[in-house]
């Protein structure tokens, strides 16, 4: 890792040596930036030591500093060469991409009866396509997340949407249950990884001090799916037939893919560093490629900087994605506790969304379209939580930093080894967990007494705001733990979340029949309350565990370097012996 980073730094230094200081703003335009203004791009003093210290991260070079910084931080390179407008575009695109996974799962609900009739199969068999969708939703990101961290975000996104588009076209044309089952698995495999990739993009362009805000925007796109999906699916299924659902998804995904191919830049730090290193041609957007070709042929003065940026590109061989990388992350006790409770939160959320159609049809006599409209209450609460909690996270981060006199600079990544990031995040999450559990209990007993619809929708709004808000906080904390392998870490999150969610949706209907409505949701809430001590353990012990993990990883890296150096010396000794024996 250090050898690769050294080559990045040397290539960047060589680029700066080839031009006078007053001309760097023009020649150092990042080749990966879709809308970069050459006059606004700022030079980067990329020294080898800065890379080794882990201070190089992506943040807009146009933002104002909100706190004093130490001399080490002020002399280091910015986290990113992307401007504020470019970061917003990148995050909006990532949020749009993350929208496809949940909307594809929820838009399918209103068409279950129609599919059962047209394909001549039982509802139980149709429900198996829901379970298989969630299983692949947990497994696929383990492959794509590792690919994204090694090869870049753009190749991973391209693989996802090629699979997704092909699956949707097949689903719109199929006429058998076997084809439906297989293609739904492929649809899930293509769309589910976009959530992990979106989190990875945020870690590429945002420091810890502002990560909550951008994670909120990304999560908002993913959480719009449960609210919009059933409404759109109900309208399309009722008036155009169930095939129109998959044609709609095909058109929407094709529109995103066109915009993505033209404008979306490569952001993976393992590929482009802070954004100033030109990626390989397959990782360039069309606009980047045209700009790079014009830059090469425009003047001979730009030749040396272009070559230096290409020489600074990390040289690595692409290997088959390793799904066990996500599993290894779960071996860390702090991460396992956090992700386990996070999965339980989403299981509670799934129990609500999966039981609304049968409960509302039985109690209020609603059809598919009316039930779909009721999901707007859940989705609006979840989306509001994603937007508001992001701001709360950033404010709480700065509040604790001021109390500890901890320097914060939004242009550069702060060293979190001495900062209690667990407390800064979980101070927001833990209260939301308790509020969400209370709403689960109230919702259950409103359903038990068949109470007014308006009251239940208000409770669901508050409950989904709380549960998804807590989920958003813990997801942000996972990115804080693993900023360099964020897509893989989020894939581990999805693995536990989706597998546990699939199990929860499978058992909640028998629980309703055996325990009743009120006691079913009371039981779910009490389980969540009983598991909250896991968050308190991370709150108090997390910082010391994180430091121990850092020291352990540094020791392993040193051992690997020593073994590598030993192999090099052994390989050189025969050459030296042969040269000494030669005349």
């Amino acid at each position: 890792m250090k050898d690769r980073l050294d080559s990045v730094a040397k290539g960047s230094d060589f680029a700066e040596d080839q031009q006078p200081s007053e001309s760097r703003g023009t020649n150092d335009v990042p080749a990966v930036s879709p809308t970069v203004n050459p006059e606004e791009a700022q030079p980067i003093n990329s020294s080898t030591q800065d890379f080794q210290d882990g201070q190089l991260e992506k943040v807009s070079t146009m933002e104002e500093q909100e706190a004093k910084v130490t001399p080490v931080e002020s002399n280091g390179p910015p986290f990113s060469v992307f401007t504020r407008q470019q970061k917003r575009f990148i995050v909006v695109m990532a949020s749009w991409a993350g929208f496809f996974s949940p909307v594809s799962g929820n838009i399918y609900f209103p068409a279950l009866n129609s599919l059962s009739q047209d394909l001549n199969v039982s509802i139980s068999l149709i429900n198996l396509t829901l379970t298989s969708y969630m299983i692949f939703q947990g497994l696929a990101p383990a492959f794509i997340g590792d690919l994204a961290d090694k090869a870049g975000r753009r190749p991973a996104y391209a693989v996802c949407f090629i699979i997704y588009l092909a699956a949707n076209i097949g689903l719109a044309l199929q006429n058998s249950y076997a084809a439906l089952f297989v293609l739904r698995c492929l649809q899930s495999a293509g769309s589910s990884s976009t959530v992990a990739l979106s989190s990875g993009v945020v870690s590429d362009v945002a420091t810890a001090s502002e990560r909550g805000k951008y994670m909120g925007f990304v999560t908002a796109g993913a959480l719009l799916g449960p609210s919009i999906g059933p409404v759109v699916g109900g309208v399309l299924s009722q008036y155009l037939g169930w095939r129109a659902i998959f044609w709609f998804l095909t058109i929407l995904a094709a529109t995103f893919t066109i915009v993505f191919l033209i404008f979306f830049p490569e952001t993976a730090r393992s590929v482009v560093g802070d954004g100033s290193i030109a990626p390989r041609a397959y990782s360039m957007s069309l606009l980047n490629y045209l700009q790079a070709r014009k830059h090469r042929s425009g003047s001979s003065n730009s030749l040396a900087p272009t070559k230096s940026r290409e020489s600074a590109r990390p040289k690595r061989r692409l290997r088959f994605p390793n799904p066990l990388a996500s599993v290894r992350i779960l071996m860390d006790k702090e991460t396992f506790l956090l992700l386990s409770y996070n999965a339980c939160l989403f299981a509670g959320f799934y129990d609500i969304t999966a039981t609304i159609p049968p409960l509302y049809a039985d109690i209020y006599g609603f059809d598919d379209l009316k039930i779909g409209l009721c999901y707007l209450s859940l989705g609006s609460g979840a989306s509001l939580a994603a937007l508001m909690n992001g701001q709360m996270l950033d404010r709480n981060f700065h509040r604790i930093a001021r109390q500890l006199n901890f320097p914060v600079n939004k242009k550069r990544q702060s060293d979190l080894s001495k900062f209690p990031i667990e407390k800064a995040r979980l101070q927001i999450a833990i209260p939301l967990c308790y509020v969400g559990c209370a709403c689960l209990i109230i919702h259950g007993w409103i359903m038990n007494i068949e109470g007014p619809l308006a009251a239940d929708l208000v409770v669901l709004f508050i409950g989904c705001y709380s549960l998804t808000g807590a989920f958003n906080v813990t997801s942000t904390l996972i990115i804080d733990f693993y900023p360099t392998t964020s897509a893989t870490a989020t894939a581990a999150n999805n693995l536990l979340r989706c597998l546990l969610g699939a199990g929860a949706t499978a058992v909640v209907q028998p629980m309703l029949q055996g325990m009743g409505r009120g006691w079913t949701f009371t039981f779910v809430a009490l389980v969540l309350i009983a598991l909250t001590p896991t968050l308190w353990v991370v709150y108090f012990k997390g910082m010391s565990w994180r430091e121990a993990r850092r020291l352990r990883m540094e020791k392993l890296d040193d051992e690997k370097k020593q073994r590598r150096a030993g192999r090099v010396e052994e390989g050189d000794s025969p050459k030296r012996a042969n040269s000494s024996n030669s005349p």
Side-chain angles (χ1 to χ4, degrees), residues 43-64:
I44 303 174
N45 181 20
S46 302
S47 65
T48 304
Q49 185 62 37
D50 291 331
F51 276 96
Q52 293 175 354
D53 290 342
Q55 295 178 9
L56 189 61
E57 291 194 8
K58 287 186 178 295
V59 164
S60 168
T61 59
M62 303 298 291
E63 295 189 351
E64 296 294 330

Side-chain angles (χ1 to χ4, degrees), residues 342-401:
N342 201 29
C344 292
L345 284 178
F346 243 80
F349 181 80
Y350 282 141
D351 282 340
I352 294 177
T353 58
T355 54
I356 281 181
L359 288 177
Y360 278 21
D362 183 44
I363 297 173
Y364 304 111
F366 285 174
D367 57 19
D368 291 342
L369 182 58
K370 292 180 179 179
I371 290 174
L373 292 173
C374 292
Y375 276 92
L376 291 173
S377 175
L378 286 75
S380 57
S383 300
L384 183 64
L387 296 175
M388 291 186 62
N389 283 355
Q391 301 289 340
M392 294 170 62
L393 282 175
D394 290 344
R395 291 179 181 177
N396 200 50
F397 183 97
H398 286 281
R399 181 184 66 85
I400 294 179

